[in-house]
């Protein structure tokens, strides 16, 4: 059967359910809803015997007039059926938006309906609010109140607004460590948080392990069904550190591979040589659960095996965020998922974004009036050759496996004279910073952009400190300027004249409560492409790598997803 036919006509039990009604999304205009609080409380509390807000609250996709607020009802979040212990009927959920942190000044209120068909999730889209300011929100079902979350609107389209505090993260493997980085990130109180993928992992217990053994464990089997994915999302969402980060600021989310299956590519699973006749149904289930558990707008409601996730979010004239999806439309990896010298990597017919998304990105950058054009995406963008000799050995799962895609996009922003192109990346479980080139094989050519890469939140365990100058990748690839494989996040301050990036790390994730510190700071100046280091913390001997380890093999091992 052709790809077009499968995309157009695949109908599973999940798709049939979707056709029966739109998910629990509400559009909130300027006028507050007028509902009877007494009747709502009576109806909503029927059948609930404990707090349904165990998964917290979240906000996402802000614009100058509003944002999305989210929750999902689950009094028993780890229930095997994926319904979180909820009765199989709709529940009215009251929502309130406040002008103050204590929730005393109600600005908007209304009711959304959480249905079992969509995992009792609620997505409320607010508009008509004032630009460039903080708001707070919460939900209520019967006598139960959710925590309060903080939201923020973007500046007006013609305004730069004040400096933007933006943080980005990726790769949170629940079994490998505590989500301390989420807690420390919440304490920074940024204006905006980007999650660049691997929000949750699909493995069953003790499949993907760290030295010494995992410190926490997944519930349930490897995620393949809708119930499996709902249960796994709930287990992650129930983590208090993750809830704190969601409640601290609005998020922009995109997936990578583990939200479905390690290293998947479009309709191809990780191991296509193994018959997997249910992979498309698995993809559909994963997409549906992802929407149910993320603060996304109605434009991202999945339709069968398809979901519109790439999108553009403008932060006034200061920044435009082009959020990419490098999984759903990519050509399959040319020579497997690992490092190799692969002829297919340079095939111009192959793409990591798909043709439509590539056109969308380049068109958006051509018409951008932002000071900073920021591409939020998943896998390493710059070339990373791990061979000091004439052979070029690169990761076929990253942009190195799709050289023509990278070249077209880079040339596109150069031709469009984009003022400040910056690529943000996750996936590789280590901090990196690099200059971007049109010709990576000639280090004397001019730099045309900048890449900042966030380490993992927990994947890989504690990690190790080191002097980045000792890593051979930086010698083989002179455009790579920084490396550190401790866990953490990147906190940026975006101003008119520069973008400052603090690479934050926590020394341990196998024990809770570690403090965060800045390992390095890089600056990108307005109209000066490339990263400039302004601070590097000396190596901490208690967290340093063991002498004699082969660096290249160590880095490859860190990035190996499937044991």
């Amino acid at each position: 059967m052709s790809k077009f036919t499968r995309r157009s006509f695949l109908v599973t039990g999940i798709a049939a359910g979707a056709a029966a009604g739109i998910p629990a999304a509400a559009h909130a205009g300027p006028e507050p809803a007028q509902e009877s609080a007494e009747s709502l409380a009576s109806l909503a509390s029927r059948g609930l015997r404990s707090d349904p807000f165990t998964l917290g609250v979240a906000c996402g996709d802000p614009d100058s007039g509003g944002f999305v607020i989210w929750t999902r009802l689950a009094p028993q979040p780890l229930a095997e059926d994926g319904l979180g212990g909820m009765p199989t009927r709709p529940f009215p959920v009251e929502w309130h938006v406040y002008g103050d942190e204590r929730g005393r000044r109600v600005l908007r209120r209304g009711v959304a309906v959480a249905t079992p068909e969509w995992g009792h999730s609620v997505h409320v889209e607010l508009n008509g609010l004032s630009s460039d300011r903080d708001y707070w929100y919460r939900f209520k079902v019967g006598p139960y109140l959710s925590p309060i979350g903080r939201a923020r609107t973007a500046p007006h389209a013609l305004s730069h607004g004040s400096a933007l505090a933006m943080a980005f993260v990726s790769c949170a493997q629940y079994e490998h460590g505590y989500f301390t980085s989420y807690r420390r990130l919440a304490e920074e109180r940024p204006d905006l948080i980007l999650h660049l993928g691997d929000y949750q992992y699909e493995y069953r217990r003790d499949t993907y392990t760290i030295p010494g053994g995992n410190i926490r464990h997944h519930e349930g089997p490897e995620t393949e069904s809708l119930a499996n994915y709902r249960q796994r999302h709930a287990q992650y969402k129930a983590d208090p550190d993750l809830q704190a980060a969601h409640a601290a600021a609005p998020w922009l989310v995109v997936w990578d591979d583990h939200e479905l299956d390690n290293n998947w590519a479009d309709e191809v699973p990780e191991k296509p040589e193994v018959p997997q006749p249910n992979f498309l149904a698995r993809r559909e289930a994963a997409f549906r659960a992802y929407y149910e558990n993320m603060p996304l707008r109605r434009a991202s409601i999945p339709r069968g095996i398809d979901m519109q996730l790439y999108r553009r979010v403008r932060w006034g004239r200061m920044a435009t965020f082009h959020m990419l999806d490098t999984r759903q439309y990519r050509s399959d990896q040319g020579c497997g998922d690992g490092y190799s010298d692969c002829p297919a990597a340079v095939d111009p017919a192959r793409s990591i974004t798909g043709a439509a998304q590539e056109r969308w990105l380049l068109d958006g950058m051509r018409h951008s009036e932002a000071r900073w054009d920021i591409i939020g995406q998943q896998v390493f963008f710059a070339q990373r050759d791990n061979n000091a000799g004439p052979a070029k050995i690169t990761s076929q799962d990253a942009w190195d496996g799709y050289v023509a895609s990278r070249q077209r996009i880079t040339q596109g922003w150069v031709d469009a004279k984009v003022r400040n192109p910056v690529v943000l990346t996750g996936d590789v479980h280590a901090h990196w910073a690099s200059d971007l080139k049109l010709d990576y094989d000639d280090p004397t050519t001019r730099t045309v952009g900048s890449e900042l890469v966030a380490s993992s939140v927990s994947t890989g365990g504690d990690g190790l400190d080191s002097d980045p100058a000792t890593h051979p990748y930086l010698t083989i690839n002179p455009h790579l300027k920084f490396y550190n494989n401790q866990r953490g996040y990147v906190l940026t301050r975006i101003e008119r004249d520069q973008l400052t990036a603090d690479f934050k790390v926590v020394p341990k994730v196998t024990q809770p409560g570690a403090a965060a510190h800045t390992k390095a700071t890089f600056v990108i100046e307005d109209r000066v492409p490339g990263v400039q280091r302004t601070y590097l913390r000396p190596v901490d001997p208690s967290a340093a790598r063991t002498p004699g380890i082969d660096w290249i093999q160590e880095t490859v091992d860190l990035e190996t997803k499937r044991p």
Side-chain angles (χ1 to χ4, degrees), residues 175 203-208 214 217-221 232:
E175 299 177 299
Y203 304 118
R204 70 179 183 275
R205 174 175 176 161
D206 290 333
T207 299
Y208 182 15
N214 292 341
H217 299 291
H218 282 154
E219 295 287 336
R232 187 62 51 81

Side-chain angles (χ1 to χ4, degrees), residues 334-372:
C335 300
D337 303 336
Y339 280 72
S340 67
D341 183 2
C342 181
V346 297
D347 182 351
R350 299 177 68 255
S351 173
I352 195 171
T353 62
Q357 185 177 192
E358 181 179 305
R359 289 192 299 270
W360 167 87
L361 174 61
L362 293 178
D363 184 65
M365 298 186 85
R366 278 193 298 270
H367 292 93
S368 175
E369 297 181 351
R371 183 66 59 100
W372 302 88

Side-chain angles (χ1 to χ4, degrees), residues 119-133:
H120 289 102
S121 62
V122 172
H123 302 72
V124 180
E125 295 185 25
L126 278 298
N127 61 22
L129 299 173
S130 298
S131 61
D132 201 17
R133 63 154 292 180

Side-chain angles (χ1 to χ4, degrees), residues 113-160:
V113 179
T115 67
E117 291 80 10
W118 292 89
H120 289 102
S121 62
V122 172
H123 302 72
V124 180
E125 295 185 25
L126 278 298
N127 61 22
L129 299 173
S130 298
S131 61
D132 201 17
R133 63 154 292 180
D134 288 343
Y135 292 90
W136 290 265
Y137 63 94
R138 79 186 318 169
F139 299 89
K140 184 176 187 292
V141 175
Y144 303 106
L145 283 173
S146 77
I148 288 183
R150 171 178 168 256
R152 184 169 182 83
T153 51
H156 187 275
L158 300 179
S159 168
H160 284 85

Side-chain angles (χ1 to χ4, degrees), residues 22-33:
I22 298 298
H27 184 72
E31 295 300 324

